Amino acid sequence: MKTTIKVVLMNLLLSMSTMVKAEIQVLACEPEWGSLVNSLGGKQVNVYQATTNQQDPHHIQARPSLIAKARRADLLVCAGAELEAGWLPLLLRKSGNPDIQAGKPGYFMASDYVTLLDKATTLDRSYGDVHAAGNPHVHLDPERLLKVAQALSQTLIAIDPDNQENYQINLNSFTQKWLNMGQKWRKQTLSLTNKSIVVYHRSWIYLQKWLGLNEVGALEPKPGIPPTSSHLTQLLVRMKQTPADMIIYASYQDSKAAKWLSQKTGIPTVMLNISPDEGESLFDWYQQLIDRLVKEKK
Amino acid sequence: MQKKLLMLSITIAISYSNPAFSNNEYELLRQEIELLKKNYEQRIQTLEQRLKKTEEQAQQANSTAQNAAQKLEQTELTSTASNRTDNSFNPALSIILDGRYADFDNDPDAYELPGFSLGGEAGLGKEGFSIGHTELTASANIDDQFYGELTVAIHEDDNETEVEVEQAFVQTLGLGNGMTIKAGRFFSAMGYINEQHEHAWDFADAPLIYRGLFGNKLLDDGLQISYIAPTDLFFQLGTELLSGDKFPAGGNSDGIGAWTAFADLGGDIGIEHSWSLGLSHWEADDIDGRTSGGHSHGNEEHEEVPSFTGESKISALDLVYKWSPNGNPKNHNFKFQFEYFVRDEDGSITMLNSEPLETSSYDGDQSGWYAQAVYQFMPHWRTGFRYDQLDSDNTGSDSDILEEAGLDDEGHTPKRYSTMLEWLPSEYSRIRLQYNRDKSYEEADNQFFLQYTHSLGSHGTHNY
């Protein structure tokens, strides 16, 4: 008799726990990872994006609203590689949430799953913002993004094994579509190969590498240090001798310096969204990125 | 093959060009040529062998290079994987270097806040060049359950270097359900800026009310328990159980000498605005002999020092509002903050070293607030304005003793206007120029500070 009661109780508890367990709450540090989790998680995830593509993800504060989100998150998806070094550790410490602490399955840093470019060999801050771990903007390389997608899908399965099949299906269709689009983008961007660009900040190296663009200058004198007039004058002299094909800056970066150089040299500027807009899929975002580059190329 | 043909043609050519050669001579020549040919062929063979060897070696070198490249890629992969755990083994170290040049119209030693007995680190500090708080912080996750932090401050006091443990605490990471427990020495969660390090403040000096009540800062040894509710709106409740050994408590209590309770609310309004609101309360029921500086009369050795015994309660309200265009504070941002404190004390004041011992009953009623606004008007430049005001209404059985203890407001309302301009070349450095019109006491003072605050080592935190 006692055992039957126990069994009934256990069943009741189990059914309750499955009932209570609704969507996985995800806190995504940047929009690209929010968008990726949405693609891979589908209806099983509820994603909150800590930043928009108008915000520099390095200069965010551990606001009360973000602490409240971290408190309830089952999964944290961020770029890592020190991009969020100023606020994420603080968020984690204040959250009172053991599931998303470093080392736990709910702590997912995209840059842990791919090789990083631009590892600083000299760790001296007089060189500007140096990233010892390497450049964190890995989502700009379609191949690296796919690797991250695979790892992230594994993480979703680890956190929510009940929906393994769904995650598998989502990953497969994402991979298929991403590879198809990748081929299309390759064809579309053949004319960009070996074009030279001036960037605001070294945010684009993965995109440059994938497209075969050559970076010939930066508006920032040193990474993280805003453009100075002396540096811009030097750059102008150089650009008058050997003009670049485009000047590229991100949506959250100040456009003044780029426009000034463009006016003086006639080199077109391209404003690119370094991350998707709210609700925008990675496919649409990357397509737009490529459309803008192809359109502005000389 | 080609060489043989060459030999043959040479022989033929020779034989044709010298038809007069005798048979004997011809035979000799033929032998010589034969020898030459052999020699030549041998040399060619060795050359061919050498070529083959070199080719093989080149191939080998190529494959070794390929192997090396593969290995490199692999090590790169493993090294990124190990990036994840780097920090858990090495505590993150950071050093704050702070220094200033200060100029005051009045004598800084004459500084007082009528109605408030100054204690702790309250005061204007040194005139001229001096280094401020040099801070050393080491912190790390201890394991998956705990985080630990140590902050040591080094500063100079009357030409003596003092090393002070500002914070030394461990806190939980793994309790869950929004619970966190902190143990050790830490900045109390009272008010808003009390939890921040002094170098993170927006002005070179503490608000007057912090100076008057806490001697700049409230820190103590004990336990902090906090809970964050699972709501979209940030809602935090917490309490601290403290030793009560440190100013503005005092005396040696055996158990819990002071405690606090705090509640915080906060959130965003759209993408560009955010806010937080805090209520906090501090109480020490059994203060036994809290000493502070009063009006110093008489010589140093027999200086009369006011000592408070009784109970003390402080309540506080803090409000913070921040704005930045598109929620991107990097280039432009605005911050407004307001804090209000009120202290209610009951007990007695004794002037130590007085003969005969002077004692008065004491009913203290002190309050104060400040409001400040800071605006980053262009990248790397910030400016700010702050206004301070204090009020007190303290009574006791012997008003002369209260006056001696500095607890009489002397009919004066302490006020201060401050303005500052900052240049921040990078996230790690700051140069600040500040001017105060200080009416803390009857004689208004003009105060100038030129201050640098630089951070070395691990990345600082972007506190709200």
Side-chain angles (χ1 to χ4, degrees):
Chain A
M1 189 54 201
K2 260 187 181 173
T3 42
T4 42
I5 290 177
K6 260 189 189 168
V7 168
V8 168
L9 267 175
M10 285 277 276
N11 276 334
L12 204 74
L13 274 172
L14 272 173
S15 61
M16 265 175 67
S17 66
T18 43
M19 265 164 60
V20 169
K21 196 172 184 187
E23 305 159 313
I24 296 182
Q25 301 293 323
V26 183
L27 178 61
C29 290
E30 292 86 21
E32 53 270 22
W33 307 124
S35 186
L36 185 62
V37 179
N38 267 323
S39 296
L40 299 176
K43 280 180 187 157
Q44 274 77 42
V45 296
N46 180 29
V47 181
Y48 181 80
Q49 293 182 356
T51 59
T52 73
N53 63 8
Q54 301 297 308
Q55 297 168 354
D56 186 337
H58 189 72
H59 291 270
I60 297 299
Q61 290 181 333
R63 298 195 308 275
S65 61
L66 294 180
I67 298 172
K69 294 291 178 194
R71 152 76 169 89
R72 295 204 294 165
D74 302 307
L75 172 62
L76 182 74
V77 184
C78 302
E82 296 169 21
L83 182 62
E84 303 94 356
W87 52 282
L88 192 57
L90 200 62
L91 216 59
L92 289 173
R93 280 210 299 282
K94 292 204 167 183
S95 68
N97 182 350
D99 299 337
I100 55 168
Q101 301 294 330
K104 294 285 162 64
Y107 177 87
F108 185 93
M109 298 291 121
S111 54
D112 284 347
Y113 298 92
V114 290
T115 50
L116 302 187
L117 299 175
D118 242 13
K119 274 184 201 176
T121 43
T122 319
L123 290 180
D124 183 333
R125 283 190 181 138
S126 59
Y127 291 82
D129 265 347
V130 287
H131 288 281
N135 191 307
H137 305 286
V138 292
H139 65 291
L140 287 159
D141 172 7
E143 285 158 30
R144 281 183 167 84
L145 189 120
L146 202 54
K147 273 191 192 163
V148 174
Q150 284 158 356
L152 185 54
S153 186
Q154 289 298 315
T155 299
L156 284 169
I157 291 169
I159 290 175
D160 179 21
D162 293 347
N163 286 303
Q164 174 165 10
E165 225 169 293
N166 287 324
Y167 297 132
Q168 212 83 60
I169 292 166
N170 292 342
L171 176 66
N172 285 344
S173 66
F174 180 85
T175 307
Q176 205 52 51
K177 196 174 169 196
W178 192 252
L179 287 174
N180 287 341
M181 293 300 277
Q183 278 177 347
K184 188 188 148 201
W185 293 330
R186 272 255 180 260
K187 273 184 211 150
Q188 202 188 340
T189 56
L190 281 177
S191 58
L192 289 174
T193 314
N194 280 326
K195 294 287 171 201
S196 57
I197 56 167
V198 170
V199 297
Y200 182 97
H201 178 81
R202 297 210 68 192
S203 326
W204 311 99
I205 55 162
Y206 295 99
L207 181 72
Q208 286 160 221
K209 204 167 179 223
W210 198 68
L211 294 176
L213 294 167
N214 292 327
E215 183 193 310
V216 293
L219 297 173
E220 289 181 338
K222 280 164 193 172
I225 309 295
T228 57
S229 51
S230 63
H231 174 74
L232 286 177
T233 320
Q234 278 175 18
L235 192 63
L236 175 65
V237 172
R238 211 142 56 78
M239 285 301 119
K240 280 198 165 151
Q241 283 162 358
T242 47
D245 295 304
M246 281 179 275
I247 304 167
I248 293 178
Y249 64 97
S251 42
Y252 61 75
Q253 284 158 352
D254 197 4
S255 64
K256 253 185 257 163
K259 283 181 176 152
W260 176 85
L261 189 62
S262 171
Q263 257 178 7
K264 297 268 179 189
T265 55
I267 304 171
T269 58
V270 191
M271 193 277 281
L272 295 180
N273 285 339
I274 196 163
S275 300
D277 278 326
E278 193 164 359
E280 192 178 28
S281 77
L282 285 166
F283 298 99
D284 293 344
W285 161 71
Y286 213 83
Q287 183 66 57
Q288 200 195 32
L289 212 69
I290 279 174
D291 286 346
R292 284 199 192 169
L293 282 171
V294 172
K295 197 180 127 210
E296 284 302 336
K297 154 204 73 121
K298 254 190 193 168
Chain B
M1 244 329 255
Q2 261 182 339
K3 284 117 209 167
K4 278 184 188 164
L5 267 172
L6 194 79
M7 285 298 140
L8 204 71
S9 52
I10 291 173
T11 346
I12 290 165
I14 292 170
S15 56
Y16 270 100
S17 58
N18 287 316
F21 276 142
S22 70
N23 255 4
N24 220 1
E25 274 172 317
Y26 185 78
E27 188 57 28
L28 217 94
L29 203 71
R30 207 188 60 83
Q31 275 174 2
E32 240 172 71
I33 285 173
E34 197 70 24
L35 204 79
L36 208 77
K37 200 178 106 187
K38 257 189 191 164
N39 218 334
Y40 206 52
E41 265 176 355
Q42 244 172 12
R43 279 172 69 185
I44 283 168
Q45 236 172 18
T46 40
L47 265 175
E48 269 175 355
Q49 270 170 359
R50 273 171 70 184
L51 190 74
K52 215 174 153 190
K53 242 188 194 167
T54 333
E55 265 177 2
E56 271 170 15
Q57 274 171 353
Q59 223 164 27
Q60 245 173 8
N62 228 336
S63 63
T64 351
Q66 262 173 6
N67 277 346
Q70 264 172 6
K71 266 188 198 160
L72 192 71
E73 210 167 299
Q74 274 168 0
T75 41
E76 258 179 28
L77 261 174
T78 45
S79 74
T80 40
S82 63
N83 274 341
R84 279 184 251 177
T85 46
D86 261 354
N87 274 346
S88 47
F89 295 112
N90 308 311
L93 285 176
S94 95
I95 297 169
I96 303 292
L97 295 178
D98 180 273
R100 66 177 63 182
Y101 181 85
D103 180 69
F104 310 126
D105 277 359
N106 296 353
D107 177 7
D109 290 335
Y111 184 81
E112 56 169 333
L113 268 176
F116 292 77
S117 260
L118 296 181
E121 290 178 21
L124 290 183
K126 209 175 151 251
E127 232 181 333
F129 287 108
S130 64
I131 56 167
H133 270 221
T134 305
E135 262 182 36
L136 215 122
T137 300
S139 65
N141 286 348
I142 295 160
D143 52 27
D144 63 337
Q145 298 291 324
F146 295 102
Y147 164 85
E149 186 175 322
L150 167 73
T151 304
V152 174
I154 306 163
H155 54 100
E156 209 134 304
D157 210 18
D158 291 332
N159 284 328
E160 268 182 67
T161 304
E162 284 184 10
V163 178
E164 181 194 356
V165 176
E166 272 199 333
Q167 292 204 99
F169 67 84
V170 294
Q171 76 162 69
T172 61
L173 296 170
L175 278 188
N177 296 315
M179 295 288 297
T180 303
I181 296 177
K182 205 188 248 189
R185 177 173 302 175
F186 49 84
F187 298 144
S188 166
M190 276 295 284
Y192 169 63
I193 65 165
N194 193 63
E195 271 195 303
Q196 300 173 359
H197 287 272
E198 279 179 45
H199 61 80
W201 289 354
D202 293 317
F203 290 85
D205 41 15
L208 287 186
I209 188 66
Y210 274 77
R211 186 181 280 169
L213 296 186
F214 304 125
N216 285 2
K217 221 160 187 345
L218 178 61
L219 58 93
D220 207 340
D221 301 350
L223 203 67
Q224 184 191 71
I225 303 162
S226 65
Y227 166 75
I228 299 173
T231 46
D232 263 348
L233 184 77
F234 174 73
F235 178 47
Q236 178 178 253
L237 287 171
T239 182
E240 290 163 339
L241 309 173
L242 305 166
S243 76
D245 289 346
K246 290 202 160 34
F247 192 86
N252 291 316
S253 62
D254 298 329
I256 297 161
W259 59 271
T260 72
F262 56 93
D264 295 290
L265 285 171
D268 292 344
I269 306 166
I271 275 173
E272 299 193 330
H273 314 269
S274 61
W275 60 277
S276 86
L277 174 72
L279 286 170
S280 43
H281 182 80
W282 175 91
E283 207 170 309
D285 293 331
D286 203 7
I287 297 173
D288 183 16
R290 172 189 78 203
T291 54
S292 50
H295 272 174
S296 42
H297 298 299
N299 58 44
E300 291 254 328
E301 267 175 54
H302 298 287
E303 192 178 356
E304 294 180 12
V305 178
S307 162
F308 168 77
T309 297
E311 64 167 4
S312 175
K313 293 174 188 170
I314 303 174
S315 297
L317 168 84
D318 60 83
L319 179 69
V320 180
Y321 161 81
K322 291 188 185 186
W323 168 86
S324 60
N326 295 317
N328 184 33
K330 189 187 179 186
N331 298 326
H332 304 276
N333 60 67
F334 174 81
K335 171 171 147 190
F336 172 82
Q337 74 193 52
F338 167 83
E339 291 191 73
Y340 173 77
F341 288 82
V342 55
R343 175 158 77 179
D344 180 17
E345 289 187 318
D346 259 310
S348 62
I349 297 284
T350 306
M351 296 306 288
L352 303 179
N353 295 330
S354 60
E355 272 190 36
L357 205 64
E358 299 170 337
T359 300
S360 165
S361 70
Y362 175 64
D363 179 6
D365 188 358
Q366 301 160 315
S367 68
W369 59 275
Y370 76 90
Q372 71 179 52
V374 174
Y375 181 47
Q376 180 167 326
F377 55 97
M378 61 186 278
H380 301 256
W381 287 90
R382 306 201 318 156
T383 183
F385 181 79
R386 177 182 66 184
Y387 176 74
D388 285 278
Q389 187 177 317
L390 305 182
D391 287 293
S392 60
D393 182 15
N394 308 319
T395 52
S397 54
D398 190 333
S399 55
D400 288 345
I401 293 176
L402 293 194
E403 198 190 328
E404 247 183 284
L407 290 166
D408 181 38
D409 70 0
E410 299 164 20
H412 179 77
T413 304
K415 285 177 195 164
R416 184 176 63 181
Y417 304 86
S418 314
T419 180
M420 65 84 177
L421 179 69
E422 283 177 356
W423 177 51
L424 306 105
S426 75
E427 267 192 90
Y428 309 100
S429 59
R430 178 180 67 208
I431 311 246
R432 174 190 286 149
L433 180 67
Q434 181 178 328
Y435 166 71
N436 292 345
R437 174 74 179 162
D438 190 350
K439 297 179 181 171
S440 286
Y441 56 106
E442 286 82 351
E443 275 174 75
D445 193 9
N446 293 310
Q447 301 161 348
F448 289 93
F449 301 94
L450 183 60
Q451 181 194 21
Y452 66 82
T453 311
H454 292 189
S455 118
L456 286 70
S458 70
H459 199 289
T461 49
H462 304 165
N463 267 303
Y464 184 74

